[in-house]
Amino acid sequence: MTRGSLLVDHIGELVTNDGRDGDPLGIRRDAALLVEDGQVAWIGSARYAPAADRRIDAGGAAVLPGFVDSHAHLVFAGDRAAEFAARMAGEPYTGGGIRTTVGATRAASDGDLRATVGRLRAEMLRQGTTTVEIKSGYGLTVADEARSLRIAAEFTEDTTFLGAHVVPAEYADRPDDYVGMVCGPMLAAAAPYARWIDVFCERGAFDADHARAILACGQAAGLGVRLHANQLGPGPGVRLGVELGAASVDHCTHLTDADVDALAGSETVATLLPGAEFSTRSPYPDARRLLDAGVTVALATDCNPGSSYTSSMPFCVALAVREMRMTPAEAVWAATAGGAAALRRTDVGRLTPGARADLIILDAPSHLHLAYRPGVPLIRQVLHNGVPR
């Protein structure tokens, strides 16, 4: 027996994501799991479970890796509920409301922004999300982007510099000057607090030339590449991301055959954000097309105050199954191991020896219930770094 060890036993269904026996979820029945020093130390049959200092009886429930939300915008101020109501009344989504949040975020105090991130991060944890990526992108000045990332870094190691979210109003007639600032003083101020760089490569935001220039500057500064691409219509974003070796291209709603082929021949993950389509009444991405082509798919919330104000990965799993033709197993994998791949993390998104002990115990016997019982609070308990939360 190891001091400080924790045994989770009487697990009816253990989702490991180890791919054993050709099953991507690597499901084990009547299982147990041992945690030591914040990591998974052992998994196996409950009948062979080792002794431990503490024990959690799963009572025959399903245990899954904690969700990995690889796309979230949590550093913001203000509310855009009226914009949502207008969309539900028939107004189209164009992305223009981002500037409303920029104004509110610039006016907010550090304490207010920190409180919002903390509230949403706690909300995510209660719903089983143990790893989250957090972007900047609502400051769009040198000082505001740096402080957004500094605050985000208090809550996650996966922080993303999104100074190229939209061109702010004061640069509307000088987009080249804004790109120059993003690549220069803004990147210099933001990079110490960021792991990734991202660009919103869409009509009304940044074209391919500007996106390429910004991402290249970020790479030169040592940041990994991510990209918002092909959300509002077909465009060059997906293939640009693949060309630059992006870890992930996100949204992927409007894809050509060439886009799908490029993704299938690369290590770039297609991160799908069904909360955005739900909240904007837009067409959902065709996940089935991507999966059948051999593309690695992740699911994430895109939590933001305008186009996807949800922090619930279980909700996104249910949407992916109902609206994007994913099987429940595919959706759960995409929300765990897929998210880890999108962040190029090997320590999360799985429950195998050596992985971080991030897990969720469902109030259900199987992962199937995440889609089968949409909207029901099925997360009974969360362990983060081996600590019950």
Side-chain angles (χ1 to χ4, degrees):
M1 182 173 70
T2 302
R3 184 174 180 79
S5 56
L6 170 66
L7 181 71
V8 183
D9 68 354
H10 292 168
I11 301 171
E13 177 187 274
L14 176 63
V15 173
T16 67
N17 286 339
D18 67 1
R20 70 194 296 257
D21 300 327
D23 172 19
L25 294 187
I27 289 176
R28 295 173 181 257
R29 310 286 180 186
D30 301 318
L33 177 150
L34 182 69
V35 175
E36 293 178 347
D37 300 322
Q39 294 186 330
V40 177
W42 175 90
I43 59 170
S45 171
R47 64 185 297 188
Y48 300 118
D53 294 312
R54 294 171 295 138
R55 174 177 172 268
I56 294 175
D57 185 348
V63 172
L64 284 67
F67 297 121
V68 180
D69 189 346
S70 60
H71 185 127
H73 306 253
L74 305 188
V75 189
F76 66 85
D79 178 275
R80 285 159 61 188
E83 179 187 321
F84 173 79
R87 285 199 303 273
M88 296 305 101
E91 291 189 16
Y93 175 69
T94 64
I98 292 170
R99 291 185 178 88
T100 302
T101 303
V102 169
T105 303
R106 288 176 177 179
S109 69
D110 287 9
D112 288 341
L113 295 178
R114 185 174 291 109
T116 296
V117 179
R119 172 178 60 82
L120 291 170
R121 183 65 190 95
E123 201 174 271
M124 289 176 158
L125 190 62
R126 289 195 300 272
Q127 298 173 91
T129 297
T130 50
T131 301
V132 62
E133 177 259 19
I134 302 176
K135 304 179 189 295
S136 66
Y138 291 124
L140 308 188
T141 67
V142 172
D144 286 307
E145 284 296 295
R147 76 161 175 154
S148 293
L149 287 162
R150 186 176 65 250
I151 291 168
E154 297 175 15
F155 296 89
T156 183
E157 59 197 275
D158 279 296
T159 53
T160 298
F161 169 45
L162 183 58
H165 202 179
V166 293
V167 176
E170 63 269 27
Y171 282 90
D173 298 325
R174 299 177 292 132
D176 289 344
D177 290 347
Y178 184 69
V179 170
M181 184 175 71
V182 171
C183 289
M186 189 181 286
L187 175 60
Y193 307 105
R195 182 183 177 206
W196 304 97
I197 188 168
D198 194 348
V199 175
F200 189 33
C201 184
E202 293 281 354
R203 65 175 185 267
F206 296 88
D207 63 22
D209 289 340
H210 283 160
R212 183 190 302 277
I214 293 165
L215 295 172
C217 289
Q219 286 180 308
L223 303 182
V225 171
R226 326 184 65 72
L227 200 61
H228 287 61
N230 298 59
Q231 176 189 8
L232 304 179
V238 164
R239 277 172 283 172
L240 175 62
V242 170
E243 176 192 333
L244 295 178
S248 178
V249 290
D250 300 12
H251 286 291
C252 298
T253 310
H254 299 276
L255 300 180
T256 65
D257 289 344
D259 295 327
V260 175
D261 290 344
L263 285 166
S266 76
E267 295 183 359
T268 299
V269 175
T271 297
L272 309 183
L273 311 170
E277 280 71 41
F278 177 88
S279 297
T280 60
R281 281 191 174 159
S282 300
Y284 286 88
D286 189 346
R288 183 81 269 137
R289 179 186 182 196
L290 290 164
L291 290 163
D292 290 347
V295 177
T296 300
V297 170
L299 291 173
T301 63
D302 191 20
C303 182
N304 76 82
S307 61
S308 184
Y309 202 8
T310 180
S311 56
S312 175
M313 287 292 280
F315 174 63
C316 292
V317 167
L319 283 180
V321 172
R322 174 61 181 85
E323 303 292 346
M324 302 197 308
R325 299 193 297 156
M326 297 179 80
T327 67
E330 288 168 340
V332 166
W333 191 95
T336 53
L343 294 175
R344 295 194 170 161
R345 298 276 298 269
T346 59
D347 60 326
V348 297
R350 60 188 178 92
L351 291 175
T352 57
R356 199 166 78 182
D358 289 353
L359 62 90
I360 53 179
I361 302 174
L362 297 185
D363 220 353
S366 169
H367 71 279
L368 296 172
H369 284 238
L370 289 167
Y372 176 47
R373 304 194 68 207
V376 177
L378 292 178
I379 309 302
R380 181 198 303 172
Q381 188 167 9
V382 179
L383 269 67
H384 187 217
N385 286 317
V387 178
R389 301 301 178 107

